[in-house]
Amino acid sequence: MSDFNILSGHWNELQHDAELIRRHVFIQEQNIPENEEWDDQDAISLHFVVYDQNQAIATARLLENNSIGRVAVLKSHRGLGIGKILMLNIIQQAAKEQRTALKLSAQVHAIPFYAGLGFAVQDGTEHLDCGIPHIDMTFSLKSA
Ligand code: COA
């Protein structure tokens, strides 16, 4: 685990590496259309990229409205605790910024991943985003 390193920064600093991972995971693996993947939130979000040595292997973004999104770990690196390290780093950053709550729209298959981190399903209503079922989840930082 000690070989992993996490950088956070603005889109103009991390775009190259974050884009690489999101292309692999969302556009190629999950067939998300290119025009749905990139939006105006990228320019104003705080981005996170995890590196294994010099290779970018995971990413996510923290929006101004306290949403976490675009959480992606390269297929070759899943199940190693990297997604968890990434999310804990974002939660730590949000606490440092004195945010009081976080939210996200979880792909249904990833609910246990987020639940294990302390996120709770809001009302259980599923909605489709890019044809993929999602559920809203929240996390309170007051007790974190
Ligand atoms: N179902 C059940 N549990 C899961 C899970 C899943 N799909 N994915 C991870 N977990 C659990 C792990 O077992 C582990 O549990 P533990 O702490 O008790 O050992 C914990 O969550 C952390 O797992 P981790 O290895 O850190 O997860 P990961 O690095 O494989 O990343 C995702 C998880 C969801 C980010 C990764 O699978 C991914 O990138 N998927 C494709 C993109 C995607 O769907 N992103 C989510 C968009 S909402």
Side-chain angles (χ1 to χ4, degrees), residues 5 8 11 14 21 27 30 35-37 41 56 61 72-73 80 82 90 104 113 115-116 125 128-129 135 138 142:
N5 182 34
S8 62
W11 191 233
L14 292 177
I21 296 157
I27 297 176
Q30 296 193 343
N35 64 328
E36 302 271 356
E37 178 56 30
Q41 292 301 308
R61 68 183 188 184
V73 177
L80 302 174
I82 291 160
I90 298 171
L104 54 80
F113 166 69
T125 312
L128 287 180
D129 190 2
I135 279 198
T138 53
K142 288 175 199 146

Side-chain angles (χ1 to χ4, degrees), residues 27-40:
I27 297 176
Q28 290 166 20
E29 191 185 330
Q30 296 193 343
N31 293 314
I32 307 283
E34 182 111 9
N35 64 328
E36 302 271 356
E37 178 56 30
W38 316 114
D39 62 20
D40 55 7

Side-chain angles (χ1 to χ4, degrees), residues 1 21 25-26 29-30 57-59 68-75 77-87 104-114 116-117 132 134:
M1 285 297 157
I21 296 157
V25 174
F26 295 120
E29 191 185 330
Q30 296 193 343
I57 54 170
T59 191
I68 298 174
R70 303 297 198 269
V71 181
V73 177
L74 287 185
K75 205 170 191 173
H77 287 74
R78 289 186 198 147
L80 302 174
I82 291 160
K84 189 173 180 175
I85 291 173
L86 172 63
M87 289 295 296
L104 54 80
S105 183
Q107 291 187 17
V108 166
H109 75 86
I111 293 172
F113 166 69
Y114 294 118
L117 288 156
I132 299 173
H134 283 73

Side-chain angles (χ1 to χ4, degrees), residues 50-132:
V50 184
Y51 295 87
D52 178 4
Q53 313 289 336
N54 290 324
Q55 185 195 359
I57 54 170
T59 191
R61 68 183 188 184
L62 174 60
L63 280 68
E64 285 179 345
N65 72 356
N66 301 318
S67 289
I68 298 174
R70 303 297 198 269
V71 181
V73 177
L74 287 185
K75 205 170 191 173
S76 53
H77 287 74
R78 289 186 198 147
L80 302 174
I82 291 160
K84 189 173 180 175
I85 291 173
L86 172 63
M87 289 295 296
L88 290 174
N89 196 275
I90 298 171
I91 291 167
Q92 200 177 32
Q93 174 67 29
K96 215 185 290 177
E97 293 177 10
Q98 309 206 316
R99 302 186 192 222
T100 55
L102 291 168
K103 54 189 177 179
L104 54 80
S105 183
Q107 291 187 17
V108 166
H109 75 86
I111 293 172
F113 166 69
Y114 294 118
L117 288 156
F119 282 78
V121 170
Q122 226 172 0
D123 66 7
T125 312
E126 277 187 27
H127 60 275
L128 287 180
D129 190 2
C130 298
I132 299 173

